[in-house]
Amino acid sequence: MKQLTKSAALIASASGVVFGLVAPLTASAAAPASSLTWSQCTGKDLDPRQQCATLKVPMDYADPGGPQIDVAVSRIPSEDPGTRRGALLLIPGGPGGSSLGDPSGKGQKLPQDVRDTYDLIGFAPRGLAPSGSVACGFDRADLSLTSQRPWPAPDGSVTENMNTARRMADACAGNGGELIRHLSTANEARDLDRLRAALGERRISAWGVSYGTYVGAVYNEMFPDRTDRVVLDSNDDPDPTRVGRGWLAAFEVGAEDTFPEFAKWASTPGNKDRVARTAAEVRPLFLSLAARLDREPIPWKDANPAELNGDVLRQTMLSALYDPDDYPVLAQMILAARKGGTPPLPDGPPEPVLQNVIAVGTGTLCNDVAWPTSEAEYQKGVDESRAKYPLTAGMPRNAMPCAAWPFPPKEPPVRISDQGPSNVLLVQNERDPGTPLTGALKLRRALGDRAVMVTVNSTGHDAYLANGNACGDETVSHFLATGERPARDVYCR
């Protein structure tokens, strides 16, 4: 067993934690035989050690002998073959995210003993370039963040959102091809099991982030005997009756949990982007400015939409709350808008990339579970949310394209249970705008004794090696390197 680092030892001492050992695999000096053909990756800012390959998987697992699709995968091998344990899947968020570059990126933030223990494995999920490139041909206006997040009209009406949902769903039905019908979390999990087999691994470890926590939980439910050490970071509520609809609804709680931290920062003396004298003034200032921009939007050349309106401000708020380093983006928009101007236009992905990412996200969310189709039901939810959670103005309970999706789900969502190996470590920031603590606790309860949870006294999305703290990072790293988890749930102050 590797020696505890100084910080991990301090955690154990301060928390009274007794570490329990996950059943070990035998470390091997060499990687097992792989059926993948590896070659040098192409792309910018990649570690020269990163290799790439293509995995063939069935488009439709109900017809495994039918058409095959490509899944692009990547790896950086273990840095110490003598202590290599296996492979660590880096499961991206989204849906619509890719981890293809992560072995070169966030994988290099992992401590040395973890990089020694595993080959780091990234992938682009089915349909996401270069794993094919499904697209729906959305109107340009529907590519904006304020369309992807269904903000209701200033008076709270959802009628236009239902029109947008029908337009986007029709575009996917007409232009998405057969693959759009086979994008789902369960199929991503099946693809990952094909990848495990192609790597020659009997069992595989995983680090899933955000939506990747749901993918990881589904994989561990579908293939419980094929998982080793599983870290789920910034956790989604696994409620099988709601799935993505529940994740959207979580924004109303997540924004309320995290906005006070922005307010404290935005009122700090000496802050060059200070927007108010006291934290108590920031919230009413934000709400009044959003209402004013609803009535009197400011023209914004080359932006999409081409104006700074209340919903653009609200969406910028949600995006900025993901990472405290992005607080200045929101503060600068507030300061500019109060003077009747706009901040510098941020850089964004090219339109073909947006078309691909949004199509994959839409197809996955809408194929995972059936959404309500009644405008009245969405209107009722939006009205309730606007009254209780004014920061998000009803958006989290509104209609996405799934409200008009023409394809029924091919299978029911996977129900996460407490049946299976006890090999999961959840790590969760206490204040997270996108995957709030309330949802993480529901995943914790669903997993029962299969999991231990590390709650981190920190703010922002992505806890491990990002917006968490040293205590949480050391606890997760120690588990990945040694298999030792806290014997019970831990709070990292």
Side-chain angles (χ1 to χ4, degrees):
M1 183 185 301
K2 292 184 174 67
Q3 184 178 2
L4 263 73
T5 64
K6 179 180 178 182
S7 297
L10 287 173
I11 296 164
S13 173
S15 305
V17 173
V18 179
F19 287 89
L21 187 65
V22 173
L25 293 174
T26 302
S28 57
S34 169
S35 62
L36 296 167
T37 301
W38 297 99
S39 61
Q40 188 72 26
C41 296
T42 59
K44 296 191 300 182
D45 303 321
L46 295 179
D47 191 300
R49 297 170 299 167
Q50 182 170 307
Q51 304 165 328
C52 287
T54 300
L55 174 72
K56 294 284 187 183
V57 300
M59 180 167 65
D60 182 357
Y61 278 93
D63 180 20
Q68 304 285 295
I69 59 173
D70 292 338
V71 173
V73 300
S74 62
R75 75 172 178 184
I76 291 181
S78 159
E79 296 181 24
D80 183 1
T83 60
R84 180 189 182 279
R85 178 182 178 87
L88 179 67
L89 279 174
L90 307 176
I91 308 179
S98 172
S99 64
L100 202 59
D102 284 356
S104 295
K106 74 174 190 178
Q108 296 309 301
K109 297 180 181 179
L110 290 162
Q112 186 65 54
D113 54 358
V114 177
R115 302 199 311 272
D116 290 345
T117 303
Y118 301 102
D119 299 343
L120 305 181
I121 308 296
F123 65 99
R126 57 170 50 208
L128 188 71
S131 297
S133 186
V134 68
C136 296
F138 296 126
D139 293 349
R140 182 177 180 273
D142 293 334
L143 299 176
S144 71
L145 269 176
T146 50
S147 287
Q148 296 167 50
R149 297 284 182 264
W151 298 96
D155 64 358
S157 168
V158 306
T159 298
E160 189 54 39
N161 301 110
M162 292 296 291
N163 292 336
T164 299
R166 285 187 284 269
R167 182 172 62 248
M168 294 182 73
D170 287 347
C172 286
N175 304 316
E178 183 64 19
L179 181 54
I180 197 78
R181 303 188 63 181
H182 299 284
L183 303 176
S184 71
T185 302
N187 278 342
E188 183 171 333
R190 294 180 179 107
D191 293 345
L192 292 181
D193 198 55
R194 291 289 182 112
L195 175 56
R196 174 203 57 78
L199 293 168
E201 300 290 343
R202 181 167 60 88
R203 288 195 280 161
I204 198 161
S205 295
W207 171 20
V209 179
S210 194
Y211 166 69
T213 64
Y214 184 62
V215 176
V218 167
Y219 181 85
N220 205 18
E221 190 72 27
M222 295 174 67
F223 306 103
D225 297 330
R226 301 174 189 174
T227 57
D228 186 19
R229 301 168 184 168
V230 179
V231 171
L232 303 181
D233 172 2
S234 305
N235 297 274
D236 276 319
D237 179 353
D239 181 353
T241 67
R242 291 167 63 81
V243 192
R245 187 179 173 215
W247 308 336
L248 184 69
F251 278 116
E252 63 189 16
V253 175
E256 294 290 344
D257 287 348
T258 52
F259 190 87
E261 298 302 309
F262 169 75
K264 285 188 286 188
W265 173 90
S267 58
T268 303
N271 181 351
K272 68 182 183 64
D273 295 316
R274 190 182 188 191
V275 303
R277 293 173 303 159
T278 67
E281 294 173 318
V282 176
R283 181 187 177 97
L285 182 156
F286 174 86
L287 292 172
S288 64
L289 179 59
R292 192 191 90 192
L293 292 172
D294 283 338
R295 298 187 304 269
E296 303 169 7
I298 301 169
W300 197 357
K301 184 181 179 183
D302 298 327
N304 184 18
E307 62 182 24
L308 173 49
N309 57 36
D311 291 340
V312 171
L313 179 66
R314 296 180 185 102
Q315 181 56 54
T316 301
M317 176 266 297
L318 272 187
S319 298
L321 293 181
Y322 268 60
D323 186 339
D325 289 345
D326 292 335
Y327 288 175
V329 175
L330 175 58
Q332 289 162 19
M333 179 173 283
I334 290 171
L335 292 170
R338 291 176 73 188
K339 297 177 181 178
T342 58
L345 189 66
D347 293 331
E351 183 169 325
V353 173
L354 282 175
Q355 290 280 3
N356 181 212
V357 169
I358 298 170
V360 171
T362 300
T364 304
L365 291 172
C366 300
N367 289 333
D368 269 359
V369 68
W371 287 48
T373 59
S374 164
E375 180 175 332
E377 183 168 346
Y378 289 108
Q379 188 66 66
K380 180 175 183 292
V382 164
D383 291 345
E384 292 173 352
S385 185
R386 284 168 65 86
K388 191 172 182 180
Y389 302 100
L391 285 175
T392 45
M395 180 277 293
R397 301 195 208 179
N398 205 352
M400 294 184 74
C402 308
W405 198 244
F407 311 118
K410 290 182 175 293
E411 58 186 322
V414 174
R415 181 177 293 274
I416 306 304
S417 76
D418 58 3
Q419 302 300 303
S422 183
N423 64 350
V424 181
L425 183 66
L426 308 181
V427 58
Q428 176 70 38
N429 279 347
E430 195 167 13
R431 297 168 297 279
D432 182 327
T435 56
L437 181 61
T438 50
L441 290 171
K442 292 176 182 177
L443 178 58
R444 173 70 185 87
R445 286 194 291 271
L447 289 167
D449 291 340
R450 296 175 69 185
V452 172
M453 182 163 167
V454 181
T455 303
V456 180
N457 179 20
S458 193
T459 303
H461 193 56
D462 296 1
Y464 180 47
L465 303 181
N467 291 314
N469 64 23
C471 166
D473 290 350
E474 289 288 349
T475 304
V476 175
S477 295
H478 187 74
F479 169 62
L480 286 173
T482 69
E484 295 176 348
R485 287 185 315 180
R488 57 186 178 271
D489 292 353
V490 173
Y491 181 70
C492 276
R493 293 190 182 279

